[in-house]
Amino acid sequence: VKQKRSGSNDGSTKSGSSSSVVPYILGDRLDKGATLLQIKGHVVRISKDKDGSRFIQQRLDYLADPAHNVASSNEELNLVFSEAMSSIEDLWYDAYGNFILQKLLDHGTEDMKAELGDRVHADVVSLSNKVYGCRVVQKALDALPKGQVAKLVSAFEGRVLPFIHDRNGNHVIQKSIIVISNFAKQAREGERCEEMASFFLESLDPIINEVIRDMEGLSRHPYGCRVVQRMVEYCIEPQKSRILDSIIAHHNLLVDDQYGNYVFQRSLSYGRVQDREAILETFLGGNNVVRMSMRKLASNVVEMMIKHGNEYERQTLVQEMLNSTCVDQRGNTLSAVVAMSMDAYANYVVKTAMDFTENSHQRDQLFGVLVSHLNELEEIPFAKHIVSRIHLHLRETKKT
């Protein structure tokens, strides 16, 4: 590594004052007294070196701190910006160079940010699909003025699905949803400006529309499910209702899907009462609660219903468990609660019910069934957490 770095310095020390500084930056040591002015003409090459990139980043952070009040700060910033912009394509796809562009978005003047934002906008399609380029785009979404961010997001129209399916591009779409939704929320709730909120919502509509058109497929996709979850978490009305309506329309296909169940869980956590009510109806009757609880992925959804449902929804689910029965391998009828406690996945649902059931009569009924089968449960490895809670309950009961 040292030989490679030493070789890369050949011919780079011909321009005046840079000759005494470049070797320190590109070698194993950093000259703590170096300024950016001393690497004039070498910014791009040094930015693409691990140690060199770190030096420039740290120096830009230092200059941006008002407490330091460095006389040459503007000159140093202008130097880095000028050289970086002249070879921007070399930096935004580079493992270390991309960080310099991110720092310029953080610390640059408004004019610098605007110019850099325009360059990002012009190449946003190719940038968003690259591992380092997508980081520059995400930083731009965080750092640029709101109007320029909305313009940047508008460039995704008609290309949303390919971005979502891409391992890098999906992060850009997620960031777009978060940032624009926060702008809209701030405009509506903080600034009381519905016109501005509508402007931001309209800029996000192309993404929302394309996702809704393929809600089932995206919710069941490893990257798509992340995008849909961000929508559920951050979007505001009326976009949020459109998204939730689309998810609920496909809930039978999502509840037990390896990726879709995460979307479903988010909908329970961040959704409307009417969404939980619609889902609750599908769990009632026909031992549906028991059957769903005994499936690896669907059991997570039942747990979320118990945790995040209101008191009525929680009581209804737990009572459904208490009223249901199962038939074991020998043909014996068994309380569903006991059978669930012995199951690899359903035991977590029972444990959650024990922790979250607040109705005293129902809680006594639940623990009563479990206590009556304590000896059997103690022999089942999957029931060990339930057994621990039963013993804790018995100790607390003795105290009272």
Side-chain angles (χ1 to χ4, degrees):
V1 175
K2 290 182 181 178
Q3 290 179 349
K4 182 178 179 180
R5 284 180 174 173
S6 176
S8 69
N9 287 336
D10 289 348
S12 66
T13 61
K14 296 178 181 179
S15 56
S17 61
S18 64
S19 61
S20 62
V21 178
V22 173
Y24 286 100
I25 297 171
L26 297 181
D28 295 327
R29 296 175 294 153
L30 292 177
D31 184 346
K32 301 300 182 182
T35 73
L36 297 174
L37 299 179
Q38 293 170 281
I39 60 169
K40 184 176 181 179
H42 302 281
V43 169
V44 173
R45 185 167 62 83
I46 293 173
S47 295
K48 295 167 70 174
D49 173 81
K50 180 180 179 180
D51 293 328
S53 176
R54 184 182 294 114
F55 163 72
I56 296 175
Q57 291 176 66
Q58 291 174 346
R59 183 62 179 174
L60 290 174
D61 285 337
Y62 183 86
L63 296 174
D65 188 344
H68 295 143
N69 193 26
V70 179
S72 62
S73 59
N74 289 338
E75 189 178 359
E76 292 186 55
L77 179 61
N78 287 329
L79 169 69
V80 174
F81 179 77
S82 176
E83 294 194 23
M85 292 299 291
S86 67
S87 301
I88 193 170
E89 294 86 356
D90 288 340
L91 295 181
W92 57 26
Y93 295 134
D94 185 77
Y96 306 117
N98 80 91
F99 290 110
I100 304 307
L101 297 178
Q102 292 187 55
K103 286 298 179 184
L104 289 172
L105 284 165
D106 278 333
H107 303 315
T109 65
E110 294 305 312
D111 288 341
M112 290 177 180
K113 290 181 180 181
E115 184 178 344
L116 185 48
D118 287 341
R119 290 299 304 273
V120 171
H121 180 268
D123 289 85
V124 69
V125 174
S126 60
L127 282 169
S128 296
N129 289 328
K130 301 295 191 299
V131 63
Y132 302 120
C134 78
R135 298 178 186 180
V136 176
V137 178
Q138 289 178 77
K139 174 59 73 172
L141 291 168
D142 271 334
L144 292 176
K146 294 179 180 179
Q148 202 165 9
V149 170
K151 178 183 176 183
L152 192 59
V153 172
S154 69
F156 303 139
E157 185 170 1
R159 304 182 179 95
V160 174
L161 294 187
F163 279 141
I164 292 176
H165 288 134
D166 184 78
R167 63 185 300 177
N168 301 310
N170 83 89
H171 294 290
V172 174
I173 299 298
Q174 289 184 64
K175 175 65 77 171
S176 300
I177 292 164
I178 294 170
V179 172
I180 294 293
S181 294
N182 284 338
F183 286 169
K185 183 177 182 180
Q186 182 182 359
R188 175 177 290 172
E189 299 178 4
E191 301 167 7
R192 304 292 182 183
C193 182
E194 191 60 32
E195 182 179 357
M196 184 60 69
S198 296
F199 167 75
F200 290 123
L201 291 174
E202 288 172 7
S203 71
L204 192 58
D205 268 340
I207 294 178
I208 303 295
N209 294 339
E210 289 191 50
V211 169
I212 287 177
R213 282 197 292 268
D214 191 27
M215 181 59 77
E216 179 197 338
L218 291 174
S219 295
R220 301 172 74 178
H221 187 273
Y223 304 145
C225 74
R226 301 174 189 175
V227 172
V228 178
Q229 288 178 75
R230 298 298 86 75
M231 287 182 168
V232 173
E233 292 167 353
Y234 289 94
C235 284
I236 65 173
E237 298 297 344
Q239 291 176 342
K240 186 170 185 176
S241 287
R242 291 178 60 207
I243 295 158
L244 289 169
D245 288 342
S246 183
I247 292 170
I248 296 303
H250 299 288
H251 74 272
N252 287 328
L253 297 171
L254 303 182
V255 66
D256 203 30
D257 183 80
Q258 62 176 327
Y259 302 115
N261 85 94
Y262 294 112
V263 171
F264 208 65
Q265 290 181 59
R266 277 294 188 277
S267 300
L268 292 175
S269 301
Y270 292 86
R272 305 157 297 186
V273 173
Q274 66 200 64
D275 302 322
R276 295 198 302 271
E277 289 175 347
I279 296 165
L280 180 63
E281 288 299 317
T282 67
F283 285 170
L284 302 181
N287 265 15
N288 281 345
V289 171
V290 179
R291 188 173 66 255
M292 299 288 277
S293 297
M294 289 184 172
R295 286 149 65 175
K296 180 179 180 179
L297 300 172
S299 65
N300 296 325
V301 177
V302 182
E303 278 193 77
M304 292 293 286
M305 280 290 290
I306 295 173
K307 289 179 180 179
H308 295 282
N310 57 36
E311 185 60 24
Y312 167 76
E313 294 159 353
R314 187 178 299 115
Q315 286 186 32
T316 302
L317 277 175
V318 174
Q319 198 60 50
E320 188 76 7
M321 292 163 54
L322 290 167
N323 293 342
S324 301
T325 57
C326 296
V327 178
D328 65 18
Q329 294 178 344
R330 289 174 288 186
N332 299 320
T333 300
L334 191 65
S335 163
V337 171
V338 176
M340 290 168 67
S341 299
M342 298 177 175
D343 184 77
Y345 308 118
N347 78 89
Y348 293 104
V349 176
V350 176
K351 179 169 65 70
T352 299
M354 296 168 76
D355 290 341
F356 284 85
T357 299
E358 297 175 350
N359 180 278
S360 57
H361 172 72
Q362 197 173 56
R363 184 176 175 81
D364 289 343
Q365 191 179 359
L366 177 62
F367 274 93
V369 172
L370 294 170
V371 169
S372 66
H373 291 81
L374 179 58
N375 290 337
E376 301 166 57
L377 294 174
E378 287 180 328
E379 302 297 321
I380 307 298
F382 295 128
K384 62 181 181 180
H385 297 298
I386 291 171
V387 169
S388 297
R389 279 165 172 73
I390 294 172
H391 285 301
L392 178 62
H393 171 74
L394 292 174
R395 289 195 296 271
E396 291 174 346
T397 302
K398 285 183 180 179
K399 291 180 182 177
T400 57

